[in-house]
Amino acid sequence: MKRTLLAIVLISMGLTVRAQNNIPAAAIQIQTAELAAPADKRGASSVYGYSAKGEFILLRKGTNEMICLADDPKIPGLNVACYHKDLEPFMKRGRDLKAEGKTPKEVADIRDHEAKSGWIPMPKQPASLFVYTAKAENFDPMTGTVKDGYLRYVVYIPYATAESTGLPLKPDVPGMPWLMDPGTHRAHIMISPPQPQKN
């Protein structure tokens, strides 16, 4: 019995160490997170990522207006983002609700109510978000090496409509700006450049 318990404890410890070893060094997390940022914003942005224990923490306090999020080590592939600091209350509330186990619809509904009530302050002017992704086979999380990454752009304009912006509600051609979620707190311009064709 004692041997069985000891074996279980040792296996659990091994799994914990393995999980912790799958979290890249802070410098690598910062390096890959900033791939989403415009070049002239890198090096001075605030970056959130993960501690060796998997806790979501501030890795670097920045000096400019951008906040970057490192890749989640539990999800295959690369998915990092950088956004204007005025979006942080909205973004943080989403992270907190997700951590509480809320469904995507619940998160959307709660944030909608809280934004309308003024509890979540939304930007008074357009605010940018940049998202950089890569497939699992094209990303080494421990070294930060990425190939064939893809960058898309979002500009939040809360409560904007097709009529107030002149934007279509769907793109006519790849890369054309269009308005998603019009008339809501999360109305935003989507710009998704065409992805390179593989030969």
Side-chain angles (χ1 to χ4, degrees):
M1 182 65 177
K2 288 183 178 179
R3 288 183 178 178
T4 302
L5 288 173
L6 179 60
I8 291 172
V9 170
L10 290 174
I11 290 171
S12 298
M13 289 175 62
L15 290 174
T16 301
V17 170
R18 185 179 301 167
Q20 291 177 5
N21 287 341
N22 286 337
I23 297 175
I28 298 297
Q29 293 186 64
I30 291 170
Q31 170 190 318
T32 53
E34 287 197 309
L35 291 174
D40 65 347
K41 303 295 183 182
R42 297 174 188 171
S45 61
S46 292
V47 181
Y48 285 90
Y50 300 85
S51 71
K53 295 181 179 179
E55 302 160 322
F56 188 73
I57 61 170
L58 179 65
L59 296 177
R60 184 183 73 196
K61 183 173 177 55
T63 57
N64 68 15
E65 71 279 9
M66 299 302 289
I67 295 173
C68 297
L69 304 182
D71 182 66
D72 185 341
K74 298 188 296 296
I75 301 175
L78 175 67
N79 191 330
V80 295
C82 290
Y83 52 83
H84 191 277
K85 63 183 180 181
D86 286 357
L87 286 168
E88 176 60 1
F90 171 74
M91 297 295 185
K92 182 179 185 304
R93 185 59 173 148
R95 294 194 298 268
D96 291 345
L97 290 169
K98 183 179 178 182
E100 292 174 12
K102 303 295 186 187
T103 66
K105 184 180 186 311
E106 288 173 327
V107 171
D109 290 345
I110 291 170
R111 287 198 296 187
D112 179 59
H113 173 74
E114 293 176 346
K116 286 177 178 175
S117 71
W119 194 83
I120 297 178
M122 296 300 293
K124 302 299 183 186
Q125 72 293 320
S128 60
L129 164 71
F130 304 89
V131 181
Y132 187 77
T133 58
K135 294 180 180 178
E137 61 267 28
N138 294 330
F139 173 52
D140 183 342
M142 304 314 290
T143 65
T145 303
V146 185
K147 67 175 183 178
D148 296 331
Y150 178 71
L151 182 64
R152 68 180 190 274
Y153 322 96
V154 176
V155 181
Y156 277 86
I157 311 181
Y159 305 106
T161 64
E163 293 76 19
S164 69
T165 62
L167 289 166
L169 298 182
K170 62 180 182 179
D172 292 333
V173 295
M176 181 180 186
W178 61 285
L179 189 65
M180 187 173 184
D181 297 327
T184 72
H185 72 287
R186 47 170 302 166
H188 55 281
I189 301 169
M190 291 286 297
I191 305 172
S192 301
Q195 299 205 39
Q197 296 296 316
K198 299 292 184 182
N199 293 327

